Amino acid sequence: MKILITGGAGFIGSHVVRRFVLNYPHYQIYNLDALTYAGNLENIVDIEEQPNYTFVKGDITDAAFIDSLFETEQFNGVVHLAAESHVDRSIKDPLAFVKTNVIGTMNLLNAAKSIWNGDYEGKRFYHVSTDEVYGALGAEGLFTETTSYDPNSPYSASKASSDHFVRAYGETYGLPYVITNCSNNYGPNHFPEKLIPLFLNNIIQNKPLPVYGDGNYTRDWLYVIDHARAIDLVFHKGKHAETYNIGGFNEWKNIDLVKLLCAQMDQKLGRPEGDSEQLITYVKDRPGHDLRYAIDATKIKNELGWEPSVTFEEGLQQTIDWYFDNPEWLANVTSGAYQEYYTKQYEE
Ligand code: NAD
Ligand code: TYD
């Protein structure tokens, strides 16, 4: 097997690349990543010398480059994670999300279709997507694989569009695909623009914790290593032309999650109980803010036997420990362009 993983220098992709490289020494794993602000080779420095691993720096929006890479390497499998992934950035620059998430995905689909040329034996195009394509839930209910798409942010609209194209290539050209829609991930290597690592970093620095709106928005959180386990399982055992929802069975209101994070951080930092909570600051809401996401992950549980392996409290503690063990990682990613982003998003 020669497998192309896209976005493998990013948060989730790095955990997927590590898992595939170490678990399948007989596979050749190619990690294609443009190294945008979110991509960081430090995330996978521990596996870069493995004999079955190759890093390729390149942009999925460059069709000629993608065609020639597929032509030269003749991949049998694709696990596609490369994307612009942050909702707040999508509100400021939606077109960047169309380019990478829609056109980039199209380029990969076209290249796979062209080299496989109807010979689909042993081939698989795995598209990694999000639960945000389903839109917002009210207080009740869960997203299942048959919930209608109803995206509300430019990010989720671009991911929904890419999901539709993957499915359309399956229907129209017979391209063997599988799609997963996962809930919010957290864990090591998470870029500190997303809620948990941003707040963790701000607590260390005694900076305000900017809670959007009233803080009563709900997300379903999954430890990133459990997502990587699910991707491995679906890549190998998932049925062609199927969608699987992946979630943590783990809903938290933002404000409750932030209070738990503050409590665990106070303990870690040796601060008095309740100290970090004082940093909570309610700020202007995100436009189009989805009230609640929650996944029904019964299908992947029943069909493939997947379940999360850690509780949220355990996963959050492991995450905090990782950031404390890797202060230089955090210092590197929060220098330079990050400061500019932070000022624009939170201080202007
Ligand atoms: P991330 O932003 O941390 O990483 C994205 C990676 O893609 C980076 O390494 C970046 O350099 C690379 N990339 C971006 N544009 C590229 C381009 N044009 N060409 C090549 N590489 C490019 O994202 P993440 O949180 O790891 O998410 C990975 C995937 O999982 C995305 O498709 C996302 O939609 C999906 N997903 C994320 C979550 C989550 O909670 N983070 C949940 C469900 C699904
Ligand atoms: P985020 O980590 O950006 O993930 P997503 O928007 O994809 O769910 O945000 C998680 C939740 O936290 C979401 O309801 C928005 C909220 N949030 C804040 O309240 N303040 C912040 O500074 C950020 C980044 C997010």
Side-chain angles (χ1 to χ4, degrees):
M1 283 293 270
K2 218 182 208 192
I3 299 174
L4 177 70
I5 301 180
T6 70
F11 167 46
I12 302 170
S14 62
H15 290 278
V16 174
V17 164
R18 177 175 300 103
R19 189 173 176 96
F20 274 69
V21 165
L22 297 180
N23 280 9
Y24 306 103
H26 51 296
Y27 292 177
Q28 286 300 316
I29 303 298
Y30 285 69
N31 173 12
L32 169 65
D33 198 296
L35 299 180
T36 68
Y37 78 93
N40 184 353
L41 289 176
E42 286 295 310
N43 290 345
I44 31 165
V45 73
D46 55 311
I47 51 113
E48 69 186 5
E49 299 296 336
Q50 294 291 326
N52 63 337
Y53 173 71
T54 306
F55 177 71
V56 182
K57 183 172 186 303
D59 193 327
I60 59 169
T61 66
D62 181 345
F65 163 74
I66 293 295
D67 284 346
S68 113
L69 181 69
F70 274 69
E71 198 53 53
T72 313
E73 302 299 347
Q74 297 288 317
F75 303 114
N76 333 77
V78 177
V79 183
H80 174 37
L81 296 107
E84 287 294 338
S85 68
H86 190 38
V87 172
D88 291 329
R89 287 184 193 257
S90 82
I91 294 167
K92 293 214 153 75
D93 184 9
L95 201 54
F97 284 67
V98 175
K99 283 186 188 144
T100 292
N101 300 359
V102 185
I103 298 183
T105 303
M106 288 293 292
N107 289 339
L108 294 166
L109 287 168
N110 284 333
K113 170 177 164 283
S114 164
I115 62 153
W116 295 343
N117 194 23
D119 174 12
Y120 293 139
E121 190 57 35
K123 313 291 194 319
R124 171 151 279 196
F125 191 104
Y126 183 153
H127 180 60
V128 175
S129 192
T130 166
D131 61 354
E132 302 191 26
V133 298
Y134 299 121
L137 290 165
E140 298 291 316
L142 299 171
F143 297 134
T144 71
E145 287 78 2
T146 55
T147 301
S148 302
Y149 276 33
D150 190 17
N152 292 315
S153 74
Y155 164 65
S156 54
S158 69
K159 291 297 290 187
S161 172
S162 62
D163 292 12
H164 290 321
F165 275 112
V166 173
R167 203 185 319 257
Y169 271 54
E171 288 295 320
T172 308
Y173 309 111
L175 196 88
Y177 76 88
V178 64
I179 299 175
T180 50
N181 295 87
C182 187
S183 65
N184 286 60
N185 285 214
Y186 70 97
N189 310 93
H190 205 182
F191 192 80
E193 63 185 352
K194 309 278 170 63
L195 179 73
I196 291 178
L198 181 102
F199 280 31
L200 190 154
N201 185 38
N202 283 15
I203 292 170
I204 295 173
Q205 309 211 13
N206 259 311
K207 280 170 65 171
L209 306 178
V211 173
Y212 295 158
D214 61 7
N216 284 323
Y217 295 89
T218 298
R219 300 290 182 263
D220 172 357
W221 294 92
L222 178 68
Y223 194 49
V224 63
I225 288 165
D226 281 330
H227 190 188
R229 281 175 51 237
I231 289 175
D232 181 354
L233 198 61
V234 172
F235 183 79
H236 290 97
K237 303 251 168 68
K239 288 198 200 115
H240 282 308
E242 290 276 340
T243 289
Y244 296 87
N245 280 355
I246 306 171
F249 302 98
N250 179 42
E251 285 185 52
W252 284 80
K253 280 198 168 138
N254 290 343
I255 191 62
D256 297 335
L257 184 162
V258 170
K259 286 182 178 166
L260 175 68
L261 178 67
C262 286
Q264 292 197 355
M265 288 292 286
D266 281 343
Q267 269 208 342
K268 185 82 185 178
L269 289 159
R271 291 182 185 167
E273 210 181 305
D275 201 46
S276 300
E277 266 193 32
Q278 294 172 37
L279 298 169
I280 292 173
T281 311
Y282 291 92
V283 300
K284 191 160 68 90
D285 211 348
R286 173 187 277 174
H289 199 166
D290 285 331
L291 178 66
R292 178 171 162 258
Y293 305 141
I295 283 273
D296 179 352
T298 309
K299 179 175 171 182
I300 187 170
K301 186 174 173 204
N302 289 350
E303 282 189 20
L304 304 179
W306 175 89
E307 273 185 292
S309 68
V310 293
T311 66
F312 188 53
E313 285 78 0
E314 286 165 351
L316 195 57
Q317 193 57 54
Q318 286 174 30
T319 304
I320 292 170
D321 291 345
W322 184 86
Y323 281 89
F324 276 77
D325 291 343
N326 293 276
E328 62 300 327
W329 185 95
L330 196 54
N332 289 342
V333 302
T334 51
S335 64
Y338 179 81
Q339 297 300 336
E340 229 172 275
Y341 166 78
Y342 198 90
T343 306
K344 278 214 175 85
Q345 179 66 24
Y346 295 103
E347 288 165 8
E348 271 178 4

